[in-house]
Amino acid sequence: GAGVSQSPRYKVAKRGQDVALRCDPISGHVSLFWYQQALGQGPEFLTYFQNEAQLDKSGLPSDRFFAERPEGSVSTLKIQRTQQEDSAVYLCASSRGQGARETQYFGPGTRLLVL
Amino acid sequence: AQSVTQPDIHITVSEGASLELRCNYSYGATPYLFWYVQSPGQGLQLLLKYFSGDTLVQGIKGFEAEFKRSQSSFNLRKPSVHWSDAAEYFCAAHLVNFGNEKLTFGTGTRLTIIP
């Protein structure tokens, strides 16, 4: 079956531009997570959705980062006024049940480069 | 502070040799523990997980991990590595902080296989 997909796979943005990253989770998965992975680092948690509800956004680094999942399936991570330190791979993961203890299935990521 | 530590940034192993990747966690209780593998351009794939019970956990691709409470460790092992095992390996723990639960990852260990 289809796994988690993300688009675009690569994004180059000029500093100050807004970007939108899309995640298509596995069909029927309740939970959706966004992570940021800087070069040479492990993924860092950004935010968590249970269906359409954003239950935890404690990992979002600033108010320039915004995520939504309006219909409880596809999610979009938006970064406003991008900065160079936003350059990273953004990973999306989904899981069947609720919470972070369930096995998470990861997408291939979107590599964002801010010039 | 709650954290996951992978002491080895890079490990080189000969094909057919045994492998052990180290992982330690810092947490007030026994967390749920995971090992993921990330190949270039691929999303993270779950190798195995520990929730409770038998401290020796079997995973996919011939990997196993042993949970040792006294050492706060969850080391990954494989008796005989194959060239296709070359990848980045991440240990992760399900940690709860002020009611927010999330997966916390280590910084990863890059595995190189030599003929």
Side-chain angles (χ1 to χ4, degrees):
Chain A
V4 178
S5 60
Q6 293 185 245
S7 60
R9 292 293 308 277
Y10 303 92
K11 177 70 179 177
V12 178
K14 292 183 179 178
R15 189 158 56 95
Q17 280 185 331
D18 297 349
V19 298
L21 312 180
R22 177 188 170 105
C23 172
D24 284 82
I26 294 172
S27 178
H29 276 196
V30 168
S31 295
L32 186 144
F33 305 82
W34 283 99
Y35 295 86
Q36 180 189 60
Q37 186 175 19
L39 191 63
Q41 300 295 315
E44 295 271 353
F45 170 82
L46 292 178
T47 188
Y48 161 56
F49 289 87
Q50 186 180 114
N51 296 308
E52 69 279 3
Q54 187 175 23
L55 298 187
D56 185 355
K57 54 182 180 179
S58 62
L60 296 177
S62 77
D63 58 8
R64 296 186 295 103
F65 286 71
F66 171 76
E68 61 182 5
R69 193 186 185 198
E71 298 179 358
S73 55
V74 172
S75 176
T76 303
L77 176 67
K78 298 179 179 177
I79 309 174
Q80 297 177 323
R81 305 181 302 282
T82 52
Q83 304 293 313
Q84 287 187 323
E85 62 262 28
D86 300 334
S87 295
V89 176
Y90 291 85
L91 298 170
C92 174
S94 70
S95 65
R96 187 172 309 165
Q98 301 173 8
R101 290 178 295 181
E102 298 275 332
T103 297
Q104 295 183 26
Y105 297 86
F106 284 79
T110 294
R111 185 177 296 275
L112 173 65
L113 177 62
V114 181
L115 302 176
Chain B
Q2 301 174 345
S3 64
V4 176
T5 302
Q6 293 181 248
D8 304 305
I9 296 173
H10 185 203
I11 283 183
T12 300
V13 177
S14 298
E15 191 170 13
S18 63
L19 169 71
E20 182 168 29
L21 303 182
R22 296 184 290 166
C23 173
N24 294 92
Y25 64 89
S26 174
Y27 188 56
T30 298
Y32 291 11
L33 295 160
F34 306 80
W35 273 99
Y36 281 87
V37 60
Q38 186 177 40
S39 299
Q42 305 291 317
L44 283 86
Q45 181 184 22
L46 180 70
L47 288 175
L48 46 77
K49 59 188 177 186
Y50 171 77
F51 286 0
S52 65
D54 193 346
T55 56
L56 186 62
V57 180
Q58 301 298 319
I60 62 171
K61 303 185 180 187
F63 286 93
E64 66 178 27
E66 185 172 13
F67 169 66
K68 292 186 177 179
R69 187 189 308 274
S70 61
Q71 298 177 20
S72 298
S73 70
F74 188 56
N75 293 350
L76 182 71
R77 302 194 295 242
K78 187 169 184 178
S80 176
V81 298
H82 186 262
W83 64 268
S84 59
D85 294 325
E88 187 93 22
Y89 290 81
F90 292 95
C91 180
H94 170 262
L95 305 178
V96 182
N97 187 28
F98 295 104
N100 287 329
E101 52 174 305
K102 62 180 182 180
L103 269 190
T104 296
F105 286 82
T107 51
T109 298
R110 184 159 60 94
L111 176 64
T112 298
I113 308 296
I114 57 177

